[in-house]
């Protein structure tokens, strides 16, 4: 019997990407289309649900940037396909897309890497400074975070990892 694969969106930073090839990603939490997300967004199709999970991972990348002031001010989301056994549930509220990764994510599981372009750096830097306040309900901080979210993340194949690291480091 084969283990079903689950698409998971892992928030990251550029320094985390530099460790990906040798150590894998060691993120504890990530986002995926969960049963509670499906129940909350009953009208959404699979693509819409995946976009919600992806967007939440990008928001969590802002929290990682806030915690690592030396990281380049670019949100990073790594799309990975993991065996269902490697993805644990998080007891979340209705609509939650949060999942817990039970083991490091190997580079072989990476489907794509998404990173902000250079033009987003100033907006992302400002959003990383106030993301916690936005989550606490501050409307001015939320406006700043929304400005970063106006930027679409660029798509990279895993084979472009070294090129990507040279261009954003």
């Amino acid at each position: 019997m084969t283990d079903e694969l689950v698409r998971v969106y892992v928030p990251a930073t550029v320094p985390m990407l530099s460790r990906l090839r040798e150590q894998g990603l060691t993120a504890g939490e990530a986002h995926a289309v969960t049963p509670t997300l499906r129940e909350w967004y009953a009208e959404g199709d699979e693509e819409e649900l995946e976009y919600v999970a992806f967007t939440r991972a990008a928001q969590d990348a802002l929290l990682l940037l806030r915690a690592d002031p030396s990281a380049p001010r670019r949100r990073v989301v790594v799309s990975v396909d993991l065996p269902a056994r490697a993805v644990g549930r998080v007891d979340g509220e209705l609509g939650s897309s949060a999942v817990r990764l039970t083991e490091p994510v190997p580079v072989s599981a990476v489907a794509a890497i998404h990173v902000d372009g250079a033009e987003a750096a100033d907006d992302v830097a400002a959003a990383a400074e106030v993301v916690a306040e936005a989550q606490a309900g501050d409307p001015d901080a939320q406006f700043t975070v929304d400005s970063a979210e106006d930027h679409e993340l660029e798509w990279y194949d895993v084979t472009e990892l070294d090129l990507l690291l040279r261009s954003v480091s």
Side-chain angles (χ1 to χ4, degrees):
M1 183 171 123
T2 60
D3 204 357
E4 178 185 346
L5 292 179
V6 177
R7 174 61 54 99
V8 179
Y9 303 98
V10 183
T13 62
V14 171
M16 290 171 72
L17 284 181
S18 67
R19 295 186 297 270
L20 172 62
R21 189 175 318 289
E22 291 79 27
Q23 303 169 354
L25 286 176
T26 55
E29 288 199 6
H31 292 271
V33 177
T34 62
T36 58
L37 180 59
R38 282 186 201 286
E39 186 178 343
W40 172 74
Y41 203 138
E43 300 299 316
D45 64 20
E46 193 68 17
E47 189 173 319
E48 290 171 311
L49 294 171
E50 287 181 2
Y51 185 75
V52 169
F54 177 88
T55 301
R56 290 178 179 168
Q59 291 167 349
D60 283 358
L62 288 173
L63 293 168
L64 293 173
L65 288 172
R66 182 179 178 127
D68 184 358
S70 66
R73 304 287 93 179
R74 310 276 184 94
R75 294 172 297 164
V76 176
V77 175
V78 183
S79 297
V80 299
D81 294 319
L82 297 173
R85 64 179 155 64
V87 182
R89 292 183 131 176
V90 173
D91 291 330
E93 58 193 42
L94 186 62
S96 174
S97 61
V99 294
R100 182 168 291 106
L101 301 179
T102 60
E103 53 194 55
V105 177
V107 70
S108 61
V110 175
I113 301 167
H114 313 270
V115 181
D116 275 309
E119 74 286 345
D122 289 342
D123 289 338
V124 169
E129 290 295 318
V130 299
V131 64
E133 292 84 351
Q135 289 181 332
D138 181 318
D140 292 331
Q142 186 60 53
F143 180 79
T144 302
V145 169
D146 290 345
S147 294
E149 291 177 356
D150 286 343
H151 297 277
E152 292 290 327
L153 278 73
E154 298 173 354
W155 182 94
Y156 295 88
D157 186 81
V158 69
T159 60
E160 299 174 289
L161 178 59
D162 293 331
L163 176 66
L164 171 63
L165 289 170
R166 283 193 300 274
S167 69
V168 297
S169 296

